[in-house]
Amino acid sequence: MPIPKHRDGDAAEQSTGMTRQRQSEQGLSARHALVLADLLSIFASFYLSYRLLPTYRPYLRPGEFSEGPLEVHAWMLLLIVPLWLGLLRRAGLHAETRMGWRVVLGRTAQVQLVGLALLSVAFFAFKLQTASRLLVFGYCALYVPVSLGLRWLAGVLLAAHRGHIYSIPNILVVGTRKRAAEFIRRVRHAEEMDCAVLGCVDPEPEQAPA
């Protein structure tokens, strides 16, 4: 939910606290951690899909089947890795600010759908007959829980190392009346942004509520 900025006398925001240099350092750390977590998620999900393929394939396509060595399918990672990293970045999942888990889950699911569609188009257009579509389907399904788990783990490890990996804006609200209270409520419940409200000041303290 976007957070509007009130610029009248009732409520306005002013960023304070972190210096620009510190924000940049923390932002780079968060971005690097998330990219690394997503890379691990891609390889782990692909490997798990390969290992589980003999288990679920007979239920979808009865008959004799041999998945072959992993090297036979590994070439697909040349398409999957850059495609997924680009889609994740475009979806804002490598952002410097923290998002709610429901937003992360929704955007990750959207990336799977778009990525699966683009891979299918590539397989059809270039007549890649050796591509295992079931392996790709399994990868897309497994990526969601794997990526959420590794994203959480990356956050825990770096938070323990640095105190916090994200750049969290500190906000000072100008105003103490009804619109200021509503603004603070919306900031604290926003899922796409994590902010810290330092407090409120009023340019007209005699009119401020008790």
Side-chain angles (χ1 to χ4, degrees), residues 19-196:
T19 64
R20 185 168 299 179
Q21 180 179 1
R22 185 179 175 189
Q23 287 181 335
S24 176
E25 291 173 354
Q26 288 192 339
L28 288 174
S29 296
R31 200 156 37 233
H32 289 164
L34 294 176
V35 170
L36 178 60
D38 285 331
L39 272 173
L40 292 175
S41 300
I42 291 172
F43 289 111
S45 302
F46 190 87
Y47 178 74
L48 286 174
S49 180
Y50 168 77
R51 298 297 297 178
L52 294 174
L53 185 60
T55 302
Y56 64 80
R57 198 232 183 234
Y59 297 98
L60 301 176
R61 293 182 181 178
E64 295 184 3
F65 169 73
S66 175
E67 70 275 15
L70 180 61
E71 292 78 9
V72 174
H73 308 283
W75 65 267
M76 287 191 290
L77 289 171
L78 297 175
L79 296 175
I80 292 174
V81 170
L83 176 60
W84 250 252
L85 289 181
L87 291 174
L88 291 166
R89 181 184 179 90
R90 185 176 179 83
L93 291 170
H94 295 160
E96 298 177 8
T97 54
R98 183 169 56 189
M99 294 182 292
W101 283 108
R102 187 168 60 180
V103 175
V104 173
L105 175 60
R107 293 187 182 184
T108 302
Q110 291 176 2
V111 167
Q112 304 318 297
L113 294 176
V114 174
L116 180 59
L118 292 177
L119 281 180
S120 300
V121 170
F123 293 161
F124 178 79
F126 295 101
K127 297 180 172 58
L128 301 175
Q129 302 297 330
T130 59
S132 173
R133 289 163 176 77
L134 286 180
L135 179 61
V136 173
F137 292 153
Y139 157 78
C140 291
L142 289 167
Y143 181 86
V144 175
V146 171
S147 67
L148 292 179
L150 287 178
R151 175 179 286 259
W152 172 82
L153 181 61
V156 169
L157 292 178
L158 277 183
H161 177 66
R162 297 199 52 176
H164 211 293
I165 68 171
Y166 293 99
S167 173
I168 301 181
N170 294 321
I171 294 178
L172 181 65
V173 179
V174 179
T176 56
R177 282 165 278 186
K178 184 176 180 180
R179 294 188 67 182
E182 175 64 17
F183 176 78
I184 294 173
R185 186 192 67 79
R186 295 186 67 178
V187 165
R188 289 177 174 171
H189 289 82
E191 293 187 345
E192 296 189 9
M193 187 176 183
D194 190 15
C195 303

